[in-house]
């Protein structure tokens, strides 16, 4: 697989960040992070599996080695959604809407290729699937409006990428994990059983959702804001037929975009990694911008340590609701696992700092990397929920950090 990847030096600010944290041994390891080139799946365009702008889908691939040669990690990139024409047009030219804007990426966290920093998956075949459809890979609308040239084809991309990976050797996988962060974590819930069905019956196949357990909760003004938002995503992208039938047979398609109504009927083992005060959910489900016209939540939305007593109370109610919804999923299947910490965080598998490092978040002394690995290999059940904020002193930081594509949504 040479030619796909190369070593890259960390930018100096990151190296500085790590300096006080790690031992000398870890420092030398983190100084080099695998940089992986883009693989563009040109052939997918024949079946109309294309990004919002009509460009071919793409992924990043790093081949397995040693005992990991037969194991496959398929990690789906996140980046919110687009829910109407205006919104999809504005993301169409960026990397969340076009593979033309994608480039090489660094493989860190769950994608890291060092055993010390990623003990269970470091030598697997590792894939990061680029997210350019805006629907968590559920869309499929045949018609393309010539006025906009917008393509809603996420589900076709998922199928085309899987077919390509199966042909590359995933067809014979002995272990496979479908994972993803945020909108990618939701993808891994919505496509979990479909992924499972593609792989050998005797393979160990599981799914991991990281920061992807979005709950159907009202906002602080009592409006069902996220429910309307998810509904418009599903309508815009024609997603209904690609959502799990076990949900759409019983509920409206818009509801079947919420893991809480889908996950209880997933047959494949699922691990839910989510902060109970997920920063994206606090900012977009509990306190979306339109619910805070006065701006009283401005500081708190950015940094949980700046919240006043009343705001923390509101978040505790949100946590209770999150745990109640999660309870149904948990109860459904003993093979599921979960790691629910009390941080103000969103996505904890992608950064080495939150995945496995000397001061990474822990629950009962166990890092995210250990919890997921032990659960994957059936070495230990992992079902832990931390006590309420502020009891967790292991959080990476409690600030909201804007990441690519994880901006607040803008629906009124
Ligand atoms: C799967 O394994 C079989 C038997 O070893 C081999 O013939 C085939 O080429 C493999 N398929 C892929 C896609 O690697
Ligand atoms: C965590 O580790 C510390 C030090 O090794 C130990 O004292 C403590 O009991 C452990 N806590 C749990 C919950 O395992
Ligand atoms: C899409 O939603 C945005 C708000 O997020 C709104 O301003 C815009 O008018 C909507 N566009 C259409 C075509 O409905």
């Amino acid at each position: 697989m040479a030619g796909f990847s190369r070593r890259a030096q960390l930018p100096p600010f990151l190296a500085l960040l790590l300096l006080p944290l790690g031992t000398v041994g870890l420092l030398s390891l983190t100084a080099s992070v695998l940089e992986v080139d883009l693989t563009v799946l040109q052939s997918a365009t024949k079946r109309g599996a294309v990004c919002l702008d009509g460009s071919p889908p793409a992924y990043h691939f790093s081949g397995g080695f040693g005992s990991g040669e037969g194991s496959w990690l398929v990690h789906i990139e996140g980046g919110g959604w687009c829910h109407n024409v205006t919104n999809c047009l504005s993301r169409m030219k960026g990397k969340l809407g076009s593979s033309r804007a994608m480039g090489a990426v660094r493989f860190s966290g769950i994608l890291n290729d060092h055993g010390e920093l990623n003990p269970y998956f470091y030598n697997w075949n590792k894939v990061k699937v680029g997210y350019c459809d805006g629907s968590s890979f559920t869309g499929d609308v045949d018609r393309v409006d010539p006025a906009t040239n917008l393509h809603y084809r996420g589900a076709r991309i998922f199928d085309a990428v899987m077919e390509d990976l199966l042909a590359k050797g995933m067809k014979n996988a002995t272990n496979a994990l479908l994972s993803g962060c945020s909108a990618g974590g939701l993808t891994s819930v919505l496509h979990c059983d479909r992924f499972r069905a593609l792989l050998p019956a005797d393979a160990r196949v599981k799914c991991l959702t990281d920061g992807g357990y979005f709950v159907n909760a009202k906002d602080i003004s009592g409006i069902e804001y996220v429910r309307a938002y998810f509904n418009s995503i599903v309508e815009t992208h024609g997603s209904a037929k690609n959502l799990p039938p076990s949900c759409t047979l019983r509920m409206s398609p818009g509801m079947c975009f919420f893991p809480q109504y889908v996950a209880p009927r997933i047959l494949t083992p699922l691990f839910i990694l989510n902060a109970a005060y997920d920063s994206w959910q606090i900012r977009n489900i509990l306190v979306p911008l339109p619910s805070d016209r006065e701006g009283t939540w401005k500081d708190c939305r950015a940094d949980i340590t700046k919240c006043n007593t009343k705001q923390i109370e509101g978040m505790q109610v949100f946590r209770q609701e999150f745990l109640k919804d999660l309870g149904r999923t948990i109860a459904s299947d003993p093979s599921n696992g979960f790691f629910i910490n009390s941080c103000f965080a969103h996505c904890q598998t992608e950064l080495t700092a939150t995945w496995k490092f000397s001061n990474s978040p822990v629950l009962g002394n166990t890092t995210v990397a250990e919890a997921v690995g032990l659960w994957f290999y059936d070495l230990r059940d992992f079902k832990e929920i931390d006590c309420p904020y502020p009891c967790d002193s292991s959080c990476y930081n409690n600030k909201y950090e804007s990441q690519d594509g994880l901006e607040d949504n803008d629906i009124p």
Side-chain angles (χ1 to χ4, degrees), residues 107-333:
F107 270 18
S108 57
I110 195 171
L111 294 166
N112 195 296
D113 64 338
H114 288 295
E116 291 84 347
L117 298 171
N118 188 21
Y120 297 94
F121 308 110
Y122 73 101
N123 60 359
W124 287 29
N125 294 282
K126 294 183 285 292
V127 183
K128 186 171 191 185
V129 184
Y131 179 40
C132 62
D133 65 278
S135 70
S136 283
F137 296 83
T138 61
D140 191 357
V141 178
D142 220 26
R143 182 176 179 275
V144 178
D145 181 351
T148 61
N149 194 37
L150 276 172
H151 296 69
Y152 301 109
R153 302 286 178 75
R156 293 195 203 182
I157 294 180
F158 188 86
D159 291 344
V161 169
M162 291 306 141
E163 197 173 284
D164 189 64
L165 298 177
L166 289 166
K168 274 203 159 77
M170 193 169 77
K171 198 166 179 266
N172 290 336
T174 50
N175 294 301
L177 178 63
L178 179 65
S179 75
C181 127
S182 192
L186 177 60
T187 306
S188 113
V189 173
L190 298 177
H191 286 287
C192 185
D193 282 342
R194 191 187 298 215
F195 178 72
R196 207 287 152 242
L198 297 170
L199 295 157
D202 59 352
R204 189 194 305 269
V205 182
K206 302 191 178 189
C207 305
L208 161 66
T209 177
D210 172 18
Y213 201 90
F214 300 95
V215 295
N216 181 17
K218 289 181 178 163
D219 72 14
I220 50 166
S221 62
I223 290 175
E224 293 192 293
Y225 183 87
V226 70
R227 183 174 168 171
Y229 181 56
F230 275 15
N231 198 56
S232 57
I233 297 168
V234 167
E235 284 189 355
T236 297
H237 291 268
S239 302
K241 59 182 175 295
N242 297 308
L243 298 170
S246 56
C247 180
T248 49
L249 285 172
R250 304 168 15 250
M251 299 181 97
S252 70
M255 298 296 265
C256 296
F257 215 62
F258 286 104
Q260 71 203 70
Y261 308 119
V262 169
R265 286 182 170 70
I266 291 179
L267 303 173
T268 310
L270 174 70
F271 194 96
I272 298 162
L273 163 64
N274 220 105
Y277 311 86
D278 181 287
S279 55
W280 193 92
Q281 294 202 44
I282 296 296
R283 294 169 65 85
N284 294 281
I285 296 181
L286 181 64
V287 198
L289 281 174
S291 71
D292 181 39
R293 299 211 189 268
E294 316 270 283
T296 46
W297 280 74
K298 186 169 182 286
D299 293 344
C300 170
R301 285 170 92 256
D303 179 348
I304 198 171
T305 63
K306 305 256 164 68
C307 303
N308 64 33
T309 313
K310 191 137 180 294
Q311 289 164 337
I312 293 291
E313 269 169 31
M315 290 198 196
Q316 303 297 18
V317 173
F318 179 83
R319 172 178 178 270
Q320 285 306 327
E321 193 155 347
F322 177 91
L323 295 180
K324 198 178 88 206
D325 292 337
L326 181 77
R328 295 189 212 123
T329 304
I330 290 166
S332 68
D333 189 342

Side-chain angles (χ1 to χ4, degrees), residues 83-88 225 229 232 409-412:
H83 69 100
N84 72 17
V85 173
T86 322
N87 205 248
C88 290
Y225 183 87
Y229 181 56
S232 57
N409 68 58
D410 60 349
I411 54 171

